[in-house]
Every structure is written in C-alpha cells, then in structure tokens.
Amino acid sequence: MSRRLRTLIVVFLAARGAAAEERWYTYAIGGTPVGHLSEAASAEDGALRTDSVLVARLNRLGKSFEMRFATVARETPAGDLQSLGFESLLSQQAMRLEVRVAGDEVHIAAAGQERTIPRGPERLLGPAGVARLTAERLRAAGDAIEFAVFSPELQRVVRVRRAVAAPGAAGEPPCAAAAGALAVDETIEGLPVAHRLWVDAAGAMLADATDGPFGAMTSC
C-alpha cells in the first residue's frame, strides 16, 4: 500500500467525531465493500474515551493483503485531547504509537524512541470535542470552523477546516439522506484531497467520502 493511501486512511480516522456510544460503518474503496469501521465512546476515569477500529482486505495486482488501524483517544470532558494510542497492521508490518499531551507539549513514543513537539497555540481536540464543535458551529451554508488534531501517520499536529457544503451537494449516500444529515466539506493540512462528510445533529459522522488512488474511500 502506498504511503499516500496510508496517510489518507489514518488522517481520515483522526479527524472524525464520535458522539454516539457505538457505531458501525461499511467501508468501501472505489464502490467495492472491503471491510468495516467501528467507533465506540465511553467514560473512563473522568475522561472520555473513543475507540476506532478499521479492518479491511484489499486486492491489488493479483495480491491480497489485510490492513487494520486501531486508535484509542482520551480527552477531557471539555474535549481537549489527553492521550492517543495508535496501532496499524499492513501486510504483517506492524507499527505502534503512543502520544501524551502535557501542557504546551506533545510527547510521542514510537519504535523505541521518544520525542517532544510543541502543541501549538490552539486547543488540541479529541473526537468528542470535534463532534461538539461541529454540532454547535455548523448549521447553515457559509458556516465554517477550524481546529487542530493530532495525526498518528504524520506524527504531528495538523489543522482541519470544516465548512457546510453548498445546498444541493451531490453524492449524498442513502444512509445520510435518510437521516437528514448535514453535508460538510473538510480540508486537512498537508493533504490536498477532497473530503466530504455527512453529520447528524450531534456532530457525529453518518457517512463520508475521500478521494484516493484506487477510487473514493467511503464509509456509511
């Protein structure tokens, strides 16, 4: 799998917003179902915990390989990220990352090495914080928000912008249309690709679509 596709998938997971206790999605690439995504939110020792797991099997050039991405994010009740654990398995190549936010610094441990980077001037949000901000600020055409999240693949803080899509936005999947979802266009720092998601009244994602090298990556 190309690094570009890995980056798309992981940042796609990092920038999501969980609001429900548990959600399951069908995951497809180029219109072909290849796996599933699950998200579960819970309370843990005074913090909010969000577990996201993506499991898929891809066939490329006559070869089949599995991929699995698992992310555990913990944040304060206000939505500020406290820690993030990330594991990936791509064709039996495993990677693990542990992230901890302390004040103005982000501590990163991976492959037996540790380093520290600045958190930056903005709040660093977790999945529930992203969902809450989306629900509170995005309601009609012209509404837009910007926020920061941590990208496990890029191993740095990235800025995200979300804006309500123009009325009559094309490509709305049936699972979003049935729920009367709000279409939102999202751009992520360092990734010049189109990403559209559909969210419910609580800011939780119902469906999304991201352009990729093998066709659109979608969940519903």
Side-chain angles (χ1 to χ4, degrees):
M1 178 185 291
S2 68
R3 178 177 176 82
R4 179 170 180 263
L5 179 56
R6 292 199 305 270
T7 301
L8 285 170
I9 293 172
V10 176
V11 177
F12 148 81
L13 289 171
R16 302 162 75 87
E21 290 186 358
E22 186 171 11
R23 289 180 182 237
W24 288 82
Y25 304 81
T26 298
Y27 178 72
I29 295 181
T32 302
V34 295
H36 66 270
L37 170 73
S38 65
E39 291 186 341
S42 59
E44 182 181 77
D45 297 329
L48 302 176
R49 170 174 171 156
T50 302
D51 292 73
S52 299
V53 180
L54 171 64
V55 180
R57 177 181 290 273
L58 282 73
N59 295 287
R60 292 290 179 267
L61 302 176
K63 295 183 179 181
S64 176
F65 62 91
E66 293 183 349
M67 66 180 188
R68 182 180 187 275
F69 297 95
T71 305
V72 178
R74 294 178 176 83
E75 60 195 283
T76 68
D80 297 284
L81 184 69
Q82 294 178 315
S83 66
L84 184 146
F86 172 74
E87 293 182 344
S88 70
L89 179 64
L90 297 169
S91 298
Q92 300 186 11
Q93 294 182 355
M95 190 270 279
R96 180 176 178 82
L97 182 75
E98 292 291 340
V99 176
R100 180 174 56 86
V101 181
D104 294 332
E105 297 180 332
V106 179
H107 302 271
I108 304 169
Q113 297 183 338
E114 297 187 13
R115 62 190 180 93
T116 300
I117 63 173
R119 187 199 67 193
E122 298 180 286
R123 295 177 61 195
L124 192 57
L125 297 183
V130 171
R132 184 181 302 119
L133 183 64
T134 299
E136 292 176 349
R137 302 276 298 277
L138 298 185
R139 298 183 179 181
D143 292 346
I145 56 174
E146 293 188 1
F147 54 91
V149 299
F150 183 86
S151 163
E153 174 64 22
L154 300 178
Q155 295 193 23
R156 65 181 178 89
V157 175
V158 299
R159 288 182 56 80
V160 181
R161 184 180 190 274
R162 287 184 173 183
V164 177
E172 185 175 31
C175 62
L182 181 70
V184 175
D185 287 326
E186 180 179 78
T187 56
I188 300 172
E189 182 182 18
L191 290 178
V193 295
H195 183 211
R196 173 164 289 170
L197 61 154
W198 290 264
V199 299
D200 63 16
M205 196 196 74
L206 295 173
D208 82 334
T210 305
D211 290 342
F214 304 114
M217 298 184 297
T218 61
S219 56
C220 197

